[in-house]
Amino acid sequence: QSENRFRALIEKSTDVIALLAADGTVLYDSPAVMRVLGYAPDELVGQSVFKLFSPEDRPRAKQALAQLRASANASITVILRCRHKNGSYRLLEGTGTNLLDEPGVKAVLLNYRDITERHEAETSLRASEERFRTMLQGLEAGVIVHGADTRITAFNAKVLELLGVTEAQMAGRTATDPLWQRVRIDGSPLPEADLPFRRAFASRQPVRNVIVGITRP
């Protein structure tokens, strides 16, 4: 019963679970390897795991295995590019654990997953954020971006010039900070509820052409 449960966990896992000999020879691959790298599990058994890595990442893979062998029960996590059966390369995140001294195992336990799409999404997001920052800094208008908690999450250099504050004074503050001392055009205090960002959050609509006076620090 215990063996059946163990086998079910291994064979139904979305991560690939593999066992490697001390020299990197594949002793076992779980069925998930078909989904991740396109190989049937038996195709890789008896082969060197290093042949799967890109030439650029192969030295790091060998170094990681050497580090594992140096200490019993050691674990290490690495991100490496591996060749899919169709010839493309996938970015894999893997964790290896040295169980070479464990009776009944005597292997390096390796589990890994495909993070190619996640990495591409993160790279695309970083590029998008960089474009946003470049565009923001290029505007002639002062721009402040508030989070729903009123904390200032982004601003450009022009707004620092207009408000007479430094980047350090602006960063991390909230829009309701006493530093701002907001007034109407006639000089009377402007209630927080009448601030454009408060009205925009309340109505979920743009609020335009509001004149707000700010007492410079």
Side-chain angles (χ1 to χ4, degrees):
Q1 240 182 358
S2 178
E3 288 178 356
N4 287 339
R5 290 194 191 103
F6 176 74
R7 186 178 300 278
L9 287 171
I10 297 298
E11 294 184 352
K12 301 302 180 184
S13 172
T14 56
D15 287 1
V16 181
I17 298 171
L19 294 175
L20 307 179
D23 63 356
T25 300
V26 178
L27 304 176
Y28 170 81
D29 262 321
S30 67
V33 72
M34 174 70 82
R35 178 180 56 81
V36 174
L37 291 176
Y39 294 94
D42 291 345
E43 286 185 84
L44 297 177
V45 171
Q47 303 291 320
S48 172
V49 73
F50 298 117
K51 77 171 192 176
L52 293 173
F53 298 109
S54 69
E56 297 82 5
D57 287 359
R58 201 168 292 149
R60 284 204 301 127
K62 291 182 177 180
Q63 182 183 22
L65 183 58
Q67 284 180 256
L68 282 175
R69 286 199 306 258
S71 180
N73 296 310
S75 288
I76 189 170
T77 298
V78 291
I79 295 175
L80 301 165
R81 286 165 297 172
C82 285
R83 191 181 67 252
H84 192 280
K85 190 175 182 178
N86 64 16
S88 66
Y89 278 95
R90 308 296 294 175
L91 193 65
L92 305 184
E93 179 182 64
T95 299
T97 303
N98 181 352
L99 300 179
L100 289 165
D101 294 335
E102 289 285 333
V105 182
K106 295 184 179 180
V108 171
L109 174 65
L110 177 64
N111 67 284
Y112 57 90
R113 65 188 61 86
D114 188 341
I115 62 166
T116 307
E117 280 73 25
R118 187 185 83 189
H119 175 74
E120 290 173 351
E122 289 171 350
T123 301
S124 177
L125 179 60
R126 283 193 295 270
S128 177
E129 289 173 344
E130 185 57 36
R131 286 194 296 270
F132 168 73
R133 282 192 294 270
T134 301
M135 180 186 70
L136 193 66
Q137 295 304 328
L139 293 174
E140 284 300 311
V143 178
I144 303 176
V145 181
H146 300 298
D149 62 355
T150 82
R151 191 164 300 280
I152 295 168
T153 60
F155 52 87
N156 64 357
K158 186 66 176 180
V159 86
L160 300 178
E161 175 191 331
L162 293 172
L163 297 180
V165 296
T166 66
E167 185 171 341
Q169 285 175 308
M170 178 72 82
R173 290 191 180 275
T174 64
T176 56
D177 194 295
L179 172 75
W180 307 124
Q181 299 181 43
R182 293 165 296 262
V183 295
R184 293 191 177 95
I185 197 168
D186 63 2
S188 61
L190 182 67
E192 183 180 322
D194 290 339
L195 290 172
F197 81 90
R198 281 295 193 201
R199 290 168 54 189
F201 277 136
S203 67
R204 302 293 180 183
Q205 298 296 322
V207 177
R208 298 185 172 89
N209 303 319
V210 179
I211 297 175
V212 181
I214 301 288
T215 303
R216 288 185 167 198

